[in-house]
Amino acid sequence: MASYVQDGDVIEYTHSAALSAGAPLLIGSSLLTIATQDVAANAAGSYATEGVWSIAKGTGNGTAISAGSVLYWDNANAVVTTSSNGTVRCGFAVSSAANAASSVNLLLNFC
């Protein structure tokens, strides 16, 4: 039997570190979320699990992203990438971003 808890587009979660609004947070090994407000360490906060977000990407040769590309979260470097190697699938690019661009628009967790 299941009981309804919440919509799921924003979830409540307690993390051990303080985070600023807009900070990405990987929960477990596969759920990328975005803090919707400043959150103190060890306090419950609100984290978005969907929506379109402008998010950091790498810069330099080979880092351009085309609209519609599958994006992956590189937790070690705190950027999205098109490489699935050692990363976590987190959604799709809904805009293009050139090599020199430092961000891209991500449709978060859309499968």
Side-chain angles (χ1 to χ4, degrees):
M1 183 169 143
S3 298
Y4 180 82
V5 176
Q6 63 189 41
D7 284 340
D9 55 336
V10 176
I11 61 171
E12 185 176 291
Y13 182 75
T14 301
H15 184 56
S16 59
L19 292 171
S20 298
L25 174 66
L26 186 63
I27 297 176
S29 61
S30 58
L31 179 61
L32 183 65
T33 64
I34 308 291
T36 62
Q37 61 194 28
D38 292 345
V39 182
N42 300 309
S46 295
Y47 297 88
T49 61
E50 58 185 46
V52 177
W53 296 85
S54 177
I55 194 164
K57 64 171 270 311
T59 58
N61 287 339
T63 62
I65 295 175
S66 300
S69 296
V70 175
L71 295 179
Y72 300 86
W73 178 246
D74 178 348
N75 204 47
N77 295 303
V79 296
V80 292
T81 179
T82 56
S83 172
S84 63
N85 188 19
T87 57
V88 176
R89 185 178 171 151
C90 62
F92 293 93
V94 294
S95 65
S96 295
N99 285 332
S102 61
S103 64
V104 67
N105 289 343
L106 162 72
L107 179 56
L108 182 63
N109 294 321
F110 187 82
C111 296

